[in-house]
Amino acid sequence: MNGSFTIDYFRNWYDYNISFGFELLESHIKEIEELIKIGIENYENNVQTEEITYDDFHSTVVEHYLGIDSGMYFLDEIFKDYFPNLKRQSIFLMICSFRENKLYKLCFEVQKEEQSIISVDEMYSRSGKLDRIRFYFKKSFIKQYNKQFELQWKIFHNYYRIRNQLSHNFGKIDLSKNQKLKEFILNKSLITINSDNELVIDKGFLEQMINDLRELSKTIQELIRNYYNKNYNLN
């Protein structure tokens, strides 16, 4: 062990190191939702209409806004649905990146504290980085099965599956090939798959996601406390 300060840091891992990040993300989500609201209002108030006459018998009405016209696009769909969804998807990716980075870093901090020669990168997994982190936790401070941790981790893993679809398939999800993800999305409110198999994130979903990941973080902190209290006679 490296000293009481480090032990105290681990026992309060969420309180000292994670909670502030979630607060900032929640504030950023509020900011983005306000920008979405303003963007829709600006579109509704400033969209321009132009009548184009081809000859004495043929004409059409075209709407223009920010360089896009209704001759090629459905403007309402673009500015009221598509662009807001892109903004929420970007925050979704940011949250996943933040969460993964903090968990991955925790593995190395635990390795250093325990003076272990085993690294998280040495954990075998065909499913990638996230499972290696989970395996490392179970090898270091989660020695016994914990139902709450497993259920919360499962939710996190499903968020990560969505993250992979957003990153690699530009938000398109083929639910016929991913039954677990299909069940997760169908049972979640404020998130859907549209007719083009695109992930649609509605207002309020990101706050739900933050709450889910916050609860997982608190559980991890409690498991760390239990481990140190039991093995190092701490109160």
Side-chain angles (χ1 to χ4, degrees), residues 1 7 18 65 89 144 179 205 211:
M1 302 291 291
I7 295 172
I18 305 298
Y65 188 66
Q89 287 181 355
Q144 297 179 338
Q179 186 62 31
F205 176 79
N211 187 63

Side-chain angles (χ1 to χ4, degrees), residues 5 24 32 56 58 61-62 64 82 90-91 93 115 132 152-153 155 165 168 184-185 187 192-193 212 232 234:
F5 175 82
L24 291 176
I32 291 299
D56 292 340
H58 300 89
V61 175
V62 177
H64 299 269
Y82 184 66
S90 69
I91 302 301
L93 294 173
Q115 299 178 358
R132 290 200 301 272
Q152 291 172 341
W153 190 270
I155 292 172
Q165 298 296 324
H168 305 302
F184 178 74
I185 292 175
N187 289 316
T192 55
I193 304 295
D212 286 338
Y232 298 98
L234 300 174

Side-chain angles (χ1 to χ4, degrees), residues 1-8 10 108-116 228 232:
M1 302 291 291
N2 292 326
S4 59
F5 175 82
T6 309
I7 295 172
D8 194 46
F10 281 115
F108 289 102
E109 291 170 339
V110 170
Q111 179 186 0
K112 181 180 179 180
E113 178 63 24
E114 295 295 303
Q115 299 178 358
S116 172
Y228 278 103
Y232 298 98

Side-chain angles (χ1 to χ4, degrees), residues 180-191 208:
K180 291 182 179 180
L181 187 57
K182 178 180 180 180
E183 293 174 1
F184 178 74
I185 292 175
L186 290 178
N187 289 316
K188 271 286 183 182
S189 61
L190 304 177
I191 184 171
Q208 290 183 9

Side-chain angles (χ1 to χ4, degrees), residues 82 85-96 158-174 181 185 191-193 197-201 205-206 209:
Y82 184 66
N85 193 46
L86 284 182
K87 290 182 174 67
R88 294 186 183 115
Q89 287 181 355
S90 69
I91 302 301
F92 184 99
L93 294 173
M94 184 186 299
I95 295 170
C96 285
N158 278 312
Y159 285 135
Y160 207 76
R161 288 190 177 102
I162 294 173
R163 173 261 179 201
N164 289 339
Q165 298 296 324
L166 290 176
S167 297
H168 305 302
N169 297 326
F170 202 62
K172 287 188 177 291
I173 300 178
D174 186 352
L181 187 57
I185 292 175
I191 184 171
T192 55
I193 304 295
N197 289 329
E198 295 172 337
L199 185 75
V200 178
I201 299 175
F205 176 79
L206 296 173
M209 180 184 181

Side-chain angles (χ1 to χ4, degrees), residues 124-173:
Y124 172 75
S125 171
R126 291 182 298 177
S127 300
K129 190 174 183 179
L130 208 61
D131 274 348
R132 290 200 301 272
I133 292 172
R134 175 174 168 270
F135 293 155
Y136 193 80
F137 286 171
K138 293 173 76 68
K139 192 170 183 64
S140 53
F141 59 83
I142 307 178
K143 300 293 186 179
Q144 297 179 338
Y145 174 81
N146 184 280
K147 183 178 180 180
Q148 181 170 285
F149 170 79
E150 295 297 340
L151 290 175
Q152 291 172 341
W153 190 270
K154 183 178 179 181
I155 292 172
F156 176 40
H157 206 168
N158 278 312
Y159 285 135
Y160 207 76
R161 288 190 177 102
I162 294 173
R163 173 261 179 201
N164 289 339
Q165 298 296 324
L166 290 176
S167 297
H168 305 302
N169 297 326
F170 202 62
K172 287 188 177 291
I173 300 178

Side-chain angles (χ1 to χ4, degrees), residues 48-54 59-64 69-71:
Q48 301 294 311
T49 301
E50 176 187 3
E51 182 176 5
I52 300 176
T53 301
Y54 301 110
S59 66
T60 187
V61 175
V62 177
E63 293 182 321
H64 299 269
D69 68 71
S70 59

